[in-house]
Amino acid sequence: MALNRRNFMELAAATTALSAISLSTASAQEGDTLRMGIAANNPRHSDPNLTTQGSDNWATEQMYEQLVRPDDGRFALTPEEYLPTLATEWTQSDDAKVWTFKLREGVQFHRDYGEMTSEDVVFSYERAIAEGTNKTILSNIDSVVANGPYEVTITLKQPDVNLLGTSIFNNNTSIISKKAYEEIGAEAFATDAVGTGPYQLVEFDPEFGTRLTRHDGYWGEKAKIANVECVYIADTTARTLALLAGNVDIIEAVRAPGWIDSILQRDPTLIIDMTVPGSFNTLHINLTREPFDNLLVRQALMHAIDRPAVAAALAPMGGTMNGLQPEFFPAGFATEDLPEELRYPYDPEKARALLAEAGFPDGIVFDSNCSQREDYSSTMLIVQEQLRAAGFNMNLIIGDHTAYHADNRSDKNTLAMHSSSYPPIPTQIYFQQLASASEVKADGSGGGNYSHYGVAMPGIDDLLTQALTASDYETYLDLCKQIELQVLRDLPLIGLSTLGFTAVRRAQIDLGYEVQSGYARWRFHRATKTV
């Protein structure tokens, strides 16, 4: 690639940044190492039960496994599409409350911690239920009991015909070694966890990232590339140029307007992998902060945001959300199917009128925190400009991505944008972002309901309980649609857009499968690399 002066200056900046994190060029170009550039400053955890920033899951995805999982590169759309993983077969009772899993024999934990047995599965689940970061998702589990060394029975409080998707295939219910946890200790285990996946942890470096190596005792087909390195490069220019220079093989893309076209102009051989729908970008309205406790203000906010324009600005990655589900997902609504009063078309004049009716004829001024990561900052900067035209003067305070999530978890935000991937199981986002049981706490011990919905005002808890105890899928879907409408009436949470999670890789990397949908991470065990 020929460098012009601008390229040279950028590359110089990138080299400086890469040098600061001890990234050597030579090893990245070796065929036995796949190196990925992660869009965050530092890793926080390698324990799948503790991860709260999605970036860390690129490493945990390689190191840990669940009882079942979908095929690589996609979500399972039906229970029948889940594949045996650490469980080889499973049955459910007629009322979908008792699930029994037969475990795969001979599965070895990393670093000679021995064979995985039902004792490890019970330990992993009980730990996730008690202290994991997704406790609410697992709150329906009444007990996990071992029936001998290779069989486990999970009993639910209420039926769940979607258990494989809601709870079993979940980062938090990855199976870890009980023996390793007891020997290493709880504190050190946060960055030194032991799993069964195709790669095992070699080093967790808070300044660099994580280094993994192939697990030669893996029960399945061994990983084709010997080493994986997840190196944290938050700086956009440094990360982009590290890819263009061949210092890394894959990077988390910059999910900002025009970026894909820009990088393909620089190197048309690069390959784009993108999930559809990808992340659900939602905007939490903190109901405990005035004047957002006023429904008229929230309605004004909704009319002030041009959501189709937000999605269009992020093309080809962006998609529109009329409620909290994409239109083509279960419980999703097309605009024309919504009651007219819940469509909230972009109308800044109406927003101003609603603000005046609420007692704010001169508009309102407020602070809002935002992550520096491009998908967050570019989306919120668009929203900021749209709001300004309607009388909302939002002072956007942009900071470190890791700190941003920590602040949200401590209830320090007013309008908190959140980006997360969800499977086609609508109740997951309701559980995590709207249920009163997930209410955020100032001490950080709560969940992802940053709005305080269901606590500051009545929420959707009753409807959610009914949906989760429905005995047939049609009733389940109808209740989920009722939740969608209730949220559009109350407006504790706004669906801003979907955003395909995107990674860019050099042509020398073949993943071994096509990325279609799924969470914002994918496995590298089938990947090959040509030098």
Side-chain angles (χ1 to χ4, degrees):
M1 179 182 68
L3 292 181
N4 56 29
R5 184 176 183 280
R6 179 186 172 205
N7 295 146
F8 178 81
M9 296 301 290
E10 289 176 338
L11 185 57
T15 301
T16 300
L18 296 174
S19 297
I21 54 176
S22 303
L23 183 62
S24 68
T25 300
S27 64
Q29 295 179 352
E30 295 171 356
D32 64 349
T33 298
L34 187 155
R35 176 177 283 165
M36 178 158 191
I38 304 291
N41 278 325
N42 309 99
R44 298 188 69 193
H45 297 105
S46 64
D47 182 341
N49 237 326
L50 300 178
T51 56
T52 54
Q53 67 171 1
S55 301
D56 289 344
N57 293 330
W58 280 101
T60 61
E61 184 76 0
Q62 320 305 324
M63 295 188 287
Y64 305 98
E65 296 174 303
Q66 302 80 31
L67 299 182
V68 304
R69 60 179 296 124
D71 200 358
D72 291 325
R74 60 188 300 272
F75 278 129
L77 298 177
T78 66
E80 292 73 26
E81 292 183 4
Y82 283 96
L83 303 177
T85 309
L86 295 182
T88 55
E89 56 186 273
W90 51 92
T91 60
Q92 68 177 78
S93 63
D94 291 340
D95 63 0
K97 290 179 65 176
V98 181
W99 294 68
T100 299
F101 296 85
K102 185 175 181 179
L103 304 183
R104 188 179 300 278
E105 299 184 25
V107 175
Q108 297 297 312
F109 280 111
H110 303 155
R111 293 148 54 187
D112 297 325
Y113 272 102
E115 185 183 16
M116 178 208 70
T117 69
S118 55
E119 188 177 21
D120 300 294
V121 176
V122 171
F123 176 77
S124 299
Y125 270 80
E126 290 183 342
R127 179 169 173 265
I129 292 167
E131 58 190 62
T133 52
N134 267 324
K135 289 184 288 187
T136 51
I137 280 184
L138 306 177
S139 61
N140 190 35
I141 296 178
D142 186 54
S143 66
V144 183
V145 176
N147 312 317
Y150 301 113
E151 186 175 285
V152 170
T153 294
I154 296 176
T155 302
L156 306 180
K157 299 170 186 173
Q158 304 291 344
D160 184 359
V161 295
N162 289 319
L163 182 72
L164 299 182
T166 60
S167 304
I168 305 302
F169 177 57
N170 184 300
N171 199 41
N172 290 114
T173 50
S174 299
I175 306 305
I176 60 171
S177 166
K178 179 184 177 186
K179 178 182 178 183
Y181 181 87
E182 292 174 345
E183 286 187 6
I184 295 171
E187 183 176 354
F189 202 73
T191 56
D192 193 23
V194 175
T196 63
Y199 287 96
Q200 63 184 12
L201 182 66
V202 173
E203 182 181 13
F204 181 94
D205 184 337
E207 300 299 323
F208 174 88
T210 48
R211 291 185 172 91
L212 318 176
T213 192
R214 180 167 51 214
H215 175 33
D216 288 328
Y218 186 57
W219 58 269
E221 186 176 353
K222 308 294 186 293
K224 292 181 169 56
I225 296 177
N227 306 296
V228 170
E229 295 181 353
C230 297
V231 53
Y232 284 64
I233 315 173
D235 182 84
T236 298
T237 301
R239 196 168 71 253
T240 301
L241 291 174
L243 179 71
L244 293 172
N247 292 336
V248 296
D249 301 299
I250 305 176
I251 63 169
E252 290 188 287
V254 180
R255 295 194 291 175
W259 186 83
I260 286 183
D261 289 341
S262 172
I263 196 168
L264 287 178
Q265 286 176 0
R266 291 184 168 193
D267 185 350
T269 69
L270 294 173
I271 299 172
I272 310 295
D273 296 306
M274 186 184 305
T275 60
V276 177
S279 303
F280 292 28
N281 288 349
T282 51
L283 189 62
H284 292 251
I285 305 174
N286 194 326
L287 301 170
T288 67
R289 297 195 181 189
E290 296 180 349
F292 294 103
D293 56 342
N294 186 323
L295 178 60
L296 292 172
V297 173
R298 300 199 297 277
Q299 290 173 336
L301 193 64
M302 196 66 166
H303 280 294
I305 299 175
D306 187 348
R307 289 170 290 154
V310 171
L314 296 165
M317 296 175 273
T320 56
M321 295 174 73
N322 294 314
L324 298 181
Q325 304 288 335
E327 181 179 331
F328 56 93
F329 260 34
F333 279 94
T335 302
E336 58 270 23
D337 294 331
L338 285 170
E340 190 168 348
E341 70 274 15
L342 299 183
R343 295 177 185 177
Y344 300 104
Y346 175 58
D347 189 341
E349 291 305 315
K350 185 169 185 177
R352 283 186 176 276
L354 285 164
L355 276 183
E357 184 181 352
F360 303 97
D362 299 323
I364 64 171
V365 180
F366 66 99
D367 294 338
S368 184
N369 299 328
C370 179
S371 165
Q372 67 180 13
R373 208 174 76 177
E374 293 82 5
D375 52 333
Y376 283 76
S377 57
S378 61
T379 300
M380 289 301 287
L381 285 168
I382 294 169
V383 170
Q384 181 188 42
E385 287 306 306
Q386 293 177 348
L387 292 181
R388 199 188 313 277
F392 289 93
N393 290 295
M394 177 170 65
N395 178 30
L396 208 53
I397 303 168
I398 298 177
D400 172 70
H401 183 69
T402 302
Y404 170 75
H405 279 295
D407 285 346
N408 282 344
R409 285 278 181 176
S410 302
D411 195 23
K412 294 179 180 176
N413 212 345
T414 304
L415 290 184
M417 178 180 155
H418 185 82
S419 178
S420 187
S421 297
Y422 287 98
I425 299 173
T427 42
Q428 284 214 357
I429 189 172
Y430 307 150
F431 240 140
Q432 290 186 321
Q433 300 194 32
L434 292 165
S436 60
S438 296
E439 183 193 17
V440 66
K441 305 288 186 186
D443 64 1
S445 64
N449 177 0
Y450 306 143
S451 301
H452 301 269
Y453 192 44
V455 180
M457 64 178 290
I460 47 83
D461 287 354
D462 290 342
L463 286 171
L464 182 57
T465 299
Q466 292 177 52
L468 292 173
T469 55
S471 57
D472 66 272
Y473 193 66
E474 290 304 314
T475 302
Y476 171 87
L477 274 187
D478 178 67
L479 288 159
C480 289
K481 285 181 174 289
Q482 290 185 49
I483 290 173
E484 289 285 317
L485 296 175
Q486 186 64 47
V487 172
L488 284 170
R489 280 191 289 270
D490 293 339
L491 297 178
L493 188 61
I494 295 173
L496 280 177
S497 70
T498 60
L499 190 61
F501 192 83
T502 307
V504 184
R505 60 184 153 98
R506 299 171 63 227
Q508 288 83 353
I509 298 294
D510 181 349
L511 290 177
Y513 58 88
E514 180 185 359
V515 175
Q516 302 174 47
S517 61
Y519 293 113
R521 57 188 186 268
W522 35 88
R523 295 210 290 181
F524 297 140
H525 65 136
R526 296 188 192 176
T528 55
K529 179 178 181 178
T530 55
V531 178

